[in-house]
Amino acid sequence: QGDPTMKVRLKLCALCYLYTGEFEQAVALIKRAIDIEPENGNLHLNYARQLIMRKNYDEAEKEIALADKIEALRPRARRLRALIFAAKGEKESALSLIKEEKLSYLYDITGIYSILGMKDEAIKKINDGIEKGFQAVKEYLYAYPFLATNPFFDNLRNDPGFKEILEKQRRDYEHKKVRCGQ
């Protein structure tokens, strides 16, 4: 706990586990990071997202509220609250929270559209995220393992457009693994 880089390493490892669909490991690491730095609102929001993925909405809302108290993380907190509303079937409430989003192709937004059964919108935004994500947020969005395992996209699993995205991302993922010697 005395290592000042430990929190960063735990967070990055937790995100790697999250993006590869290993949610239990992600939760364990993000909780350790929170133990090291309990006053970091972003860590609480990362934990809240993982709680939402596990359908633990009440606990997720507590984490979001705690993050709000710690620091003003309004857009992220709003997106996570919208995910909870979507998961509870409260479409109007969910959509009202994301109507002002400029980066409408982020994971949480596409997850909201998917959960609400707005498949065409979700697929369009996922494609936008794949195309524009790196330039906008300096992150490659929608890697194959994340798409294949994220429960937010369960409503899309049988959609031909989503299957096409998934296959394209799988091929890209396999190609990158070979390039990295795996």
Side-chain angles (χ1 to χ4, degrees), residues 61-77:
E61 184 55 53
K62 289 177 188 172
E63 290 294 320
I64 296 167
L66 182 56
D68 272 344
K69 273 183 169 175
I70 295 169
E71 56 189 298
L73 300 163
R74 303 287 184 246
R76 286 192 65 212

Side-chain angles (χ1 to χ4, degrees), residues 11-76:
K11 179 185 171 191
L12 291 175
C13 287
L15 289 174
C16 288
Y17 280 126
L18 176 69
Y19 294 147
T20 58
E22 299 178 63
F23 303 116
E24 295 301 320
Q25 293 90 330
V27 167
L29 290 177
I30 209 70
K31 285 169 103 176
R32 283 182 54 201
I34 289 171
D35 287 343
I36 293 169
E37 192 176 357
E39 295 301 311
N40 183 315
N42 278 310
L43 291 174
H44 289 280
L45 292 181
N46 286 340
Y47 183 44
R49 179 182 293 115
Q50 294 172 21
L51 289 166
I52 295 167
M53 291 175 125
R54 299 167 83 195
K55 301 181 184 201
N56 190 340
Y57 309 125
D58 292 338
E59 191 65 30
E61 184 55 53
K62 289 177 188 172
E63 290 294 320
I64 296 167
L66 182 56
D68 272 344
K69 273 183 169 175
I70 295 169
E71 56 189 298
L73 300 163
R74 303 287 184 246
R76 286 192 65 212

Side-chain angles (χ1 to χ4, degrees), residues 134-176:
F134 189 77
Q135 293 87 355
V137 296
K138 305 299 181 240
E139 182 179 333
Y140 289 106
L141 299 177
Y142 302 103
Y144 170 73
F146 187 72
L147 282 173
T149 60
N150 188 324
F152 295 159
F153 302 124
D154 286 350
N155 283 344
L156 302 177
R157 302 267 176 239
N158 294 321
D159 186 281
F162 185 75
K163 287 180 179 181
E164 184 178 314
I165 291 169
L166 197 59
E167 180 55 26
K168 180 181 176 288
Q169 294 304 91
R170 185 195 63 74
R171 286 191 310 267
D172 185 51
Y173 177 74
E174 294 298 328
H175 176 72
K176 287 176 181 172

